[in-house]
Amino acid sequence: PYLDEGYALIARLRKDLGQFDVALTSIDHALALKSGVVPYHLERADLLRLLHRATEAAAEFEDALRRDPRSAMGLHGLAEIRLEQHRDRDALALLERYVTVAPDDPDVNVVAAALLTKAGRAEDALAWIAAHPSSDPRMVDYRVRALLMLGRSGAAAAALPASAQGEPAYRASLRGEIAF
């Protein structure tokens, strides 16, 4: 009866090794032993997403959210898929729920901005950043990325703070892109 935890561990390790198919088989074994464990469903959903099986991943995330409507990982994962599917309203509603689930987590708004930027939703990313002020330097980076996506390189350059020694590679790449 305790083999489910072993299969789940194998799934996480195989996932870390990039062996997504094998990891999926392992998490399926864990779910066969204990079907009601939400983290197993979330792991399965994430593996399906990594295998580019978005429809199945979305269904698995939805199932996990039915079991635990306050699952930050479930809300994050499903929002990411909905953004990729250009179901923006659904994605933004999920992101809003995500923020309410973890209001004290300073990374919540950063993650939402990152998802919107990653999905190419520059206007939505800028609106999100404006509505959720943060001193996190990553928010500046996502704002700059969104401005660049919109072709507003002057505004992007103005939004970047002065160059500092040891700044993150991502910020340095933004500077290079602006200069180019």
Side-chain angles (χ1 to χ4, degrees):
Y2 301 107
L3 290 177
D4 65 293
E5 292 175 13
Y7 282 117
L9 175 60
I10 291 168
R12 287 190 303 276
L13 294 171
R14 294 295 187 166
K15 177 182 166 185
D16 289 346
L17 292 171
Q19 300 171 351
F20 305 136
D21 287 322
V22 177
L24 183 61
T25 300
S26 294
I27 203 65
D28 283 343
H29 286 305
L31 280 164
L33 293 169
K34 286 195 179 167
S35 64
V37 180
V38 173
Y40 298 172
H41 286 278
L42 293 169
E43 187 68 33
R44 185 172 195 279
D46 194 45
L47 286 164
L48 290 167
R49 183 187 59 77
L50 290 168
L51 288 165
H52 307 288
R53 294 164 56 181
T55 302
E56 293 171 83
E60 195 70 41
F61 277 124
E62 288 171 345
D63 183 49
L65 287 168
R66 275 192 290 280
R67 296 168 191 269
D68 180 6
R70 297 186 53 79
S71 167
M73 184 177 171
L75 292 166
H76 177 278
L78 188 55
E80 186 171 11
I81 290 171
R82 294 301 183 231
L83 284 167
E84 290 169 4
Q85 295 172 330
H86 302 287
R87 292 177 55 183
D88 299 342
R89 285 182 194 239
D90 293 340
L92 291 173
L94 289 162
L95 290 173
E96 289 290 346
R97 281 179 54 199
Y98 180 62
V99 170
T100 63
V101 166
D104 297 328
D105 181 352
D107 284 341
V108 168
N109 289 319
V110 176
V111 169
L115 284 173
L116 290 165
T117 305
K118 178 183 172 189
R121 311 303 305 164
E123 292 288 348
D124 291 330
L126 290 172
W128 187 273
I129 292 165
H132 301 91
S134 170
S135 61
D136 190 305
R138 295 174 293 175
M139 290 293 258
V140 172
D141 294 343
Y142 296 131
R143 182 169 183 264
V144 169
R145 169 60 56 211
L147 289 166
L148 285 172
M149 291 166 61
L150 294 171
R152 296 170 48 194
S153 58
L160 273 176
S163 181
Q165 186 164 349
E167 72 182 359
Y170 185 76
R171 182 164 289 170
S173 72
L174 289 172
R175 284 188 199 288
E177 191 172 332
I178 291 169
F180 181 70

